[in-house]
Amino acid sequence: MKIKKKKDIFFETLENMADTVVQAADYFSQHISNLQDVTLFANEMKKYESQCDDYVHTIITELNKTFITPIERDDIMELTTTLDDVLDGIEATASRFYMYNLVEPDEYIIQFAEILRESAYEIQKAIHLLSQKKLLAIREYTIRLNDLENQGDEVLRNCIKNLFATVSDPIELIKRKEIYERLETTTDACEHVANVLESIIMRNS
């Protein structure tokens, strides 16, 4: 009987983080266009963020007691931090909907949500390839993540221009602008994951 090799704790936890990012981005994208219960929405997103924090804690604990790691310790920590930043960004945006009592997202927020959902899936594929040590194959997904971040920049330009052209209420303008900028910053965080993966590829291939 062939014994299945136990997966490295670092790779396994990074995969779990990436899977949680996908679940959170999916939930965000599915519910943002029809926000019937903004409190439930924010609470569910907080659960994903807390789950990701638990994985961060696992990795820090393991780094403190493990002498030999599968890739550089700094790379593991940086990848962990950037993945956590993505989920923090999605959760922070969801919490703003609750705090500002925003229940009518516009087309730009829905576009951002789709970009983040697609980015999450690219991250997930890349992280699972990292676990398999298929480093060069990861590049396809890092290129895609860079492209999605550029799309986020374009959406931000369009929505800010439209915001100042159409919204006269200063309070509403401040609320919308902050949410747009938080969403764009979260697409930046997805690109940061790609950049860390690129540096891992260069050092290990």
Side-chain angles (χ1 to χ4, degrees), residues 190-203:
C190 295
E191 186 182 43
H192 293 162
V193 174
N195 293 341
V196 174
L197 286 166
E198 281 287 351
S199 68
I200 291 170
I201 294 166
M202 282 192 295
R203 279 200 283 272

Side-chain angles (χ1 to χ4, degrees), residues 9 67 126 143:
I9 185 66
F67 185 64
I143 290 167

Side-chain angles (χ1 to χ4, degrees), residues 14-170:
L14 287 167
E15 283 186 4
N16 289 339
M17 285 186 80
D19 294 347
T20 305
V21 168
V22 163
Q23 290 161 17
D26 263 343
Y27 184 90
F28 187 90
S29 180
Q30 285 164 12
H31 290 79
I32 201 70
S33 58
N34 186 23
L35 267 183
Q36 295 178 329
D37 188 337
V38 74
T39 304
L40 177 65
F41 177 67
N43 287 343
E44 286 299 311
M45 294 306 303
K46 186 65 185 172
K47 287 178 189 174
Y48 290 121
E49 193 256 346
S50 297
Q51 178 66 72
C52 210
D53 285 345
D54 288 343
Y55 293 134
V56 173
H57 179 71
T58 298
I59 284 180
I60 292 169
T61 302
E62 291 297 325
L63 281 173
N64 285 331
K65 67 182 187 184
T66 305
F67 185 64
I68 297 172
T69 55
I71 55 176
E72 292 289 333
R73 304 170 78 83
D74 288 350
D75 288 338
I76 293 171
M77 198 62 237
E78 196 169 359
L79 196 50
T80 303
T81 303
T82 51
L83 283 167
D84 191 46
D85 287 344
V86 174
L87 225 165
D88 284 348
I90 299 172
E91 189 277 327
T93 305
S95 73
R96 292 313 183 277
F97 281 95
Y98 169 74
M99 288 189 285
Y100 299 159
N101 197 30
L102 269 178
V103 292
E104 292 181 9
D106 56 38
E107 61 180 295
Y108 301 109
I109 290 168
I110 292 166
Q111 285 173 37
F112 269 123
E114 180 57 23
I115 289 169
L116 287 171
R117 192 188 69 79
E118 289 182 37
S119 297
Y121 276 97
E122 302 303 322
I123 287 169
Q124 183 187 45
K125 291 170 197 165
I127 297 293
H128 281 261
L129 283 173
L130 180 66
S131 297
Q132 299 164 39
K133 302 284 184 73
K134 295 178 179 176
L135 297 180
L136 294 178
I138 293 171
R139 196 152 270 150
E140 174 188 344
Y141 304 106
T142 61
I143 290 167
R144 178 76 179 132
L145 283 163
N146 289 326
D147 179 51
L148 286 162
E149 191 275 335
N150 288 336
Q151 290 179 34
D153 287 345
E154 182 66 21
V155 174
L156 183 68
R157 279 192 290 271
N158 292 336
C159 65
I160 295 292
K161 184 175 187 294
N162 181 71
L163 183 67
F164 282 92
T166 59
V167 177
S168 55
D169 177 0

